[in-house]
Amino acid sequence: MIQPNSSHFHAGKAARQAGKICMNTDARLSLQSREEWYAGWNHQDALMRGQPDAELVTQNEDFFADLRRELRGARP
């Protein structure tokens, strides 16, 4: 993952490391700054969680395959 050179991105990472929830309610932030904050939080969260195991990947693939079949079958 590429880490942008943004103070908001790194603030989001730091918030995740500190155990804060993924919600930035600072109304002074622009939309872009808020998105960078969330990107930083998500980046750190992904690092902390690690890679999914094969069982979880298979479970997700099966879920989305079933959902696709269901949605395609629902067409008139």
Side-chain angles (χ1 to χ4, degrees):
M1 293 180 176
I2 297 173
Q3 296 188 30
N5 188 17
S6 159
S7 62
H8 301 294
F9 179 87
H10 294 291
K13 282 180 55 178
R16 177 60 181 113
Q17 282 180 312
K20 295 184 180 176
I21 62 171
C22 186
M23 181 179 283
N24 189 332
T25 58
D26 188 345
R28 299 170 294 176
L29 289 178
S30 68
L31 177 60
Q32 179 180 352
S33 296
R34 188 179 310 277
E35 288 173 350
E36 289 172 1
W37 190 96
Y38 283 123
W41 195 98
N42 290 333
H43 177 87
Q44 185 64 32
D45 189 55
L47 292 176
M48 292 169 70
R49 278 187 282 120
Q51 295 297 315
D53 60 5
E55 182 181 349
L56 182 59
V57 171
T58 302
Q59 180 183 4
N60 286 341
E61 288 173 351
D62 292 345
F63 170 79
F64 286 113
D66 291 344
L67 182 60
R68 278 191 297 274
R69 273 193 298 279
E70 183 179 331
L71 292 174
R72 287 183 181 138
R75 291 183 183 165

